[in-house]
Amino acid sequence: MSASVPDPLIAESAALIGDPTRAKMLGVLMDGRARTAKELSSLVGVGAATASVHIAKMSAAGLVSVAAQGRHRYVRLAGPEIAEILERLMTLAAVARPGVAARNGEEAAFREARSCYDHMAGALAVALVEALVARELLRRGHDGFEPTLAGERWFRALGIDVARTRCAGRAFARCCLDWSERRDHLAGALGAALLDALLRNGVVRRRKEGRTLDVTPVGRRFFAEAIHGASAAGRRDSGREQAAKQQSA
């Protein structure tokens, strides 16, 4: 007699996410903004009645939340944990198709900088985190990051109150695996605060639709300094040391 195997309870959720129409809806909601049922139906190309059925199924499964306001129903992802699941599924899909390059300028821009629910993802987000770790402004832990004292000052200069962010009632500074880069970017309350600060300071701008973030000229300078500034400073210091040695020889 074979032993019974506990139901892992993933088949139903996987089937819900795997439906092409629902997957498109979830992808639209990955930018963190709420959409009306009518907007979702238009964006994914299905009728209003069909969209309502899909939304009801996703709501019952806890994938989206639905709030009525006047005559409209507003739909958004149920929370950052759903966005993380979707991002990891996108990473899995990218692994299944290795070496796929950006096909056009729009896709290249999407891979460079985009929102991942309430935080920033893409090549610049990954490079920024790696530079902050290299500069000892962030420390990497088991499943997240922790700013150093110098790092807290760096975030404060952007207008982020790290102590207040730490008390936000959610994960503070998580690692989120970036699907296009396959390396971690910063998520959690600190990641959300960072994206808010970058938007507020004019470093990046949201588009009217979609997740792509446009990097402004101010943003180009910001990322160049944040990512490459430390190494440039190191080269300058090294050059000065060599010159001093030559003069004393």
Side-chain angles (χ1 to χ4, degrees):
M1 183 176 179
S2 60
S4 62
V5 178
D7 185 354
L9 303 178
I10 62 173
E12 185 176 350
S13 295
L16 280 165
I17 296 173
D19 176 87
T21 299
R22 289 192 287 270
K24 288 179 182 178
M25 287 182 168
L26 292 168
V28 168
L29 297 173
M30 276 284 284
D31 64 2
R33 289 178 281 198
R35 297 293 200 286
T36 65
K38 182 178 180 181
E39 286 173 332
L40 275 179
S41 67
S42 175
L43 287 168
V44 303
V46 298
T50 300
S52 292
V53 171
H54 285 303
I55 291 168
K57 289 182 177 180
M58 291 189 294
S59 177
L63 297 174
V64 301
S65 62
V66 182
Q69 186 172 326
R71 292 182 296 175
H72 297 291
R73 290 187 305 149
Y74 286 89
V75 185
R76 67 190 319 150
L77 289 186
E81 68 280 359
I82 304 301
E84 181 178 357
I85 290 169
L86 297 174
E87 187 80 1
R88 288 187 179 275
L89 287 173
M90 293 173 71
T91 303
L92 180 62
V95 170
R97 295 183 300 165
V100 178
R103 291 168 292 186
N104 51 50
E106 283 296 309
E107 187 171 333
F110 181 78
R111 291 190 179 202
E112 180 185 49
R114 61 183 180 275
S115 58
C116 177
Y117 188 61
D118 61 357
H119 57 274
M120 183 175 169
L124 285 177
V126 169
L128 176 60
V129 165
E130 292 180 346
L132 294 179
V133 171
R135 294 168 59 185
E136 298 185 349
L137 301 178
L138 278 180
R139 291 196 184 101
R140 184 183 291 272
H142 174 65
D143 59 354
F145 298 99
E146 181 64 33
T148 62
L149 289 177
E152 290 193 13
R153 290 193 294 271
W154 185 87
F155 282 104
R156 194 179 303 122
L158 291 176
I160 299 171
D161 186 334
V162 174
R164 186 175 180 179
T165 303
R166 197 185 296 276
C167 300
R170 56 181 289 195
F172 171 57
R174 290 190 303 101
C175 300
C176 185
L177 185 62
D178 194 284
W179 74 263
S180 58
E181 299 301 305
R182 304 186 198 175
R183 305 196 304 279
D184 291 325
H185 56 247
L186 178 64
L190 187 59
L194 176 59
L195 177 55
D196 284 344
L198 296 182
L199 290 165
R200 188 171 60 250
N201 294 330
V203 174
V204 295
R205 294 195 186 104
R206 289 188 188 274
R207 295 187 179 184
K208 185 177 180 180
E209 292 294 344
R211 295 168 56 196
T212 300
L213 297 171
D214 290 320
V215 184
T216 67
V218 170
R220 294 291 172 194
R221 292 192 293 272
F222 169 82
F223 285 111
E225 180 179 344
I227 295 169
H228 305 296
S231 59
R235 287 194 297 271
R236 287 195 299 270
D237 291 342
S238 176
R240 282 194 289 266
E241 289 177 3
Q242 290 178 2
K245 288 179 180 178
Q246 289 174 357
Q247 289 177 357
S248 61

